[in-house]
Amino acid sequence: MREILGKRRRLLSQQSDGRPELISAALTFATEWQWPVLPGVAPDPQGRARCGCPDPECTVPGAHPFDPGLLAATTDARMVRWWWANRPAAPIVLATGGTAPCAVSLPAPAASRALAALDREGMRLGPVIASPTRWALLVRPYSMEQLGELLYAKDFVPGSLRFHGEGGYLALPPSETGQGEIRWERAPLPGSASPWVPDVEAVVDAVVDALTRTGVSAPEL
């Protein structure tokens, strides 16, 4: 227990290498777009592929909440400023669902091919977030019942698709995680209004169709 508490104190005290664009982005998400955010746990400074959390088998190093937990996500500007004043290099984590977008994610190579196919068809997409391994397409908030009905109606859904809904989370640009840089593959249009995002039905239908027609058997990553 003392080891875990000590690691937590070290995580909270990591205030070097701050990036001013992180707090600026976090404030934009929270106050202008009304997306609840919180700081993620930083990658382990002794090896960025490892996470700074106590779980040695963490599969999303530096890209998830730890302390505070996900329920602390907020749109309050004072809290956001306080968090990033004390942890200036912390990744920005979005609490998906509710007033914030949800997301559909898939492995990066398959996502690149799927987006190219959707562009050729003139499909309108919202912002797309990219990490070195996975891309996430932002969608309107949906319920688990809505998602269940949508997937049940499908003859085939690639197992590599992941759904970030109510109670989920997603690292936002310009965060740096253990897997590398989080960036916009499709950036939101400039302006203070919350970005437009499509319905989950349209995205799942289009992505599944594009993956099936292009013969992409997206790996389980």
Side-chain angles (χ1 to χ4, degrees), residues 70-117:
L70 186 62
L71 292 178
T74 185
T75 60
D76 182 75
R78 292 174 298 177
M79 193 73 241
V80 170
R81 288 193 183 94
W82 186 86
W83 274 333
W84 271 272
N86 287 277
R87 300 166 62 180
I92 304 169
V93 174
L94 168 71
T96 53
T99 61
C102 295
V104 178
S105 72
L106 63 162
S112 178
R113 295 185 181 93
L115 261 63

Side-chain angles (χ1 to χ4, degrees), residues 120-191:
R120 289 193 293 269
E121 297 176 1
M123 168 85 180
R124 184 186 180 190
L125 295 173
V128 178
I129 298 169
S131 76
T133 57
R134 296 187 70 86
W135 292 7
L137 289 68
L138 298 187
V139 298
R140 291 178 185 169
Y142 56 79
S143 67
M144 293 305 296
E145 292 79 9
Q146 180 185 4
L147 179 62
E149 291 176 1
L150 172 63
L151 298 182
Y152 182 77
K154 291 287 180 191
D155 293 329
F156 167 74
V157 177
S160 58
L161 286 183
R162 294 179 187 167
F163 300 91
H164 309 259
E166 185 76 31
Y169 58 85
L170 199 63
L172 294 174
S175 301
E176 187 75 25
T177 73
Q179 296 176 333
E181 178 189 8
I182 306 297
R183 60 179 179 81
W184 295 112
E185 175 63 26
R186 302 285 174 88
L189 296 176

